[in-house]
């Protein structure tokens, strides 16, 4: 079969599409004939050796994918050959076939196509867990989303609206801001790119206060980190919840917050690690997925891919995300 391979750690230019052995069925696993995969920031980190989970070399990137089961291993219950499934497998998804543990699978609803299914797990799974279980977002509250046109960002804009929040989206270009507005954001603004100066940080804080009538957002969703974090926390509402999602601005720029801000605002800084929670509470995660599928069939969320690549050009798909060009979900079509 054909698969994208990371043979040595480094940038996307080091990845190669190679012909490799087909996977062999194993107990508790299924083999999936893949139709689509989607790219997430952890793929960018993993190929460079910068992610918290690091597979041995060589490996095939691709943390979420969808297709049809062609073989079922011993000890797998509830799945059969021919079932349409999505898999949140961490690796292996950018290939023609995937050996996936049954715990990573979920049946795809009848009304959902493979690309949508491949785009749903990581971003919407993370964002629903963040807004519901971690922030306890309430209807009528104000939600500020940073990096709002990216994968988890756009999912959060849509989920925030579906949960009845007033959503303010922030992104680095007018084009990205327009995408957030067309995905339901109530307000949106452009923030400067890169490492913000003291003056730019103050302006960011003031802009957020201005857009919230001086009260500040109740919940801030931050997948970016860097120098955006502190001015955003400075703008948060009384008893606000600041969701720490990720550090797209760079692992060398993980923000360090003055703790007096939590005292002054009566606010919480809340860590979000969806993958760990899924491992510890699979039944809760299953309920969240049922909710996501319902929201999708009601038309309240729409993980429509914005950029598509073939398996042959899948290293470009990872580069696209890495170079801050993604607007929504980046998909690899594998047909
Ligand atoms: N905690 C969890 O459980 C969990 C789960 C999934 C993902 N994550 C994390 O969430 C973050 C976002 O993931 P994603 O898949 O949504 O990525 P993505 O689609 O690339 O979105 C990230 C956004 O961050 C912004 N950004 C700011 N500085 C950047 C830089 N130097 N390079 C790239 N992007 C930059 C970009 O928006 P602007 O250009 O508008 O600033 C971009 O749209 C990652 O750190 C990822 O590891 C965490």
């Amino acid at each position: 079969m054909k698969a994208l391979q990371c043979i040595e750690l480094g940038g996307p230019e080091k990845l190669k599409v190679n012909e490799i052995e087909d996977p062999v069925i194993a107990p508790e696993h299924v083999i999936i004939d893949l139709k689509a995969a989607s790219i997430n920031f952890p793929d960018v980190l993993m190929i460079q050796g910068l992610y918290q989970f690091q597979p041995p070399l060589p490996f095939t990137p691709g943390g979420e994918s969808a297709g049809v089961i062609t073989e079922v291993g011993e000890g797998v219950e509830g799945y059969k050959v021919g079932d349409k499934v999505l898999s949140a497998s961490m690796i292996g998804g950018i290939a023609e076939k995937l050996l996936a543990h049954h715990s990573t699978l979920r049946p795809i609803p009848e009304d959902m196509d493979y690309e949508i299914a491949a785009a749903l797990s990581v971003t919407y799974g993370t964002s629903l867990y963040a807004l519901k279980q971690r922030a306890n977002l309430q209807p009528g509250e104000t939600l500020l989303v940073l990096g709002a046109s990216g994968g988890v960002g756009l999912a959060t804009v849509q989920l925030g609206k579906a949960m009845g929040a007033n959503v303010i989206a922030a992104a680095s270009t007018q084009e990205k801001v327009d995408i957030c507005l067309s995905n339901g954001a109530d307000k949106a603004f452009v923030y400067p790119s890169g490492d913000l100066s003291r003056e730019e940080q103050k302006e960011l804080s003031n802009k957020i206060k201005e857009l919230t009538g001086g009260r500040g957002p109740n919940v801030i969703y931050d997948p970016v980190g860097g120098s955006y974090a502190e001015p955003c926390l400075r703008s948060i509402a009384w008893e606000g919840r600041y969701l720490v999602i990720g550090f797209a601005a760079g692992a060398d720029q993980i923000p360090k917050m003055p703790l007096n801000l939590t005292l002054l605002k009566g606010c919480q800084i809340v860590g979000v690690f969806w993958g760990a929670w899924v491992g510890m509470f699979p039944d809760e995660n299953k309920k969240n997925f049922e909710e996501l599928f319902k929201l999708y069939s009601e038309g309240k969320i729409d993980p429509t891919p914005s950029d598509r690549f073939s398996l042959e050009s899948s290293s470009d798909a990872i580069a696209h995300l890495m170079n801050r060009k993604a607007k929504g979900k980046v998909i690899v079509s594998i047909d």
Side-chain angles (χ1 to χ4, degrees), residues 40-42 45 122 126 147 149-153 170-172 176 191 223-224 228 244-249 272-275 321-322 324 326 328:
N40 292 286
F41 213 80
L45 298 175
V122 177
T126 298
S149 74
V152 293
S172 62
K176 289 183 173 187
Y191 53 44
V224 179
Y228 300 84
V244 180
I245 306 295
F247 310 103
V272 177
F273 188 173
W274 177 68
L321 196 91
M322 181 171 162
R324 215 167 169 170

Side-chain angles (χ1 to χ4, degrees), residues 5 9 20 35-36 43 48 52 101 119 140 156-157 170-171 174 188 198 231 245 258 273 323 326 330:
Q5 286 221 292
L9 297 177
I20 62 168
K35 306 290 182 194
D43 302 320
Q48 299 175 84
Q52 57 243 38
H101 193 268
T156 305
V157 169
Q174 188 57 44
R198 273 278 150 211
I245 306 295
F273 188 173
N323 296 330
V330 179

Side-chain angles (χ1 to χ4, degrees), residues 35 43 66 69 106 120 126 133 135 168 264 297 322 329-330:
K35 306 290 182 194
D43 302 320
I69 294 181
R106 215 148 289 284
L120 194 86
T126 298
Q133 277 88 3
I168 302 177
L264 292 171
S297 67
M322 181 171 162
K329 284 300 285 188
V330 179

Side-chain angles (χ1 to χ4, degrees), residues 8-15 47-48 322:
E8 55 172 317
L9 297 177
E13 70 287 350
K14 294 212 187 286
L15 299 168
I47 62 167
Q48 299 175 84
M322 181 171 162

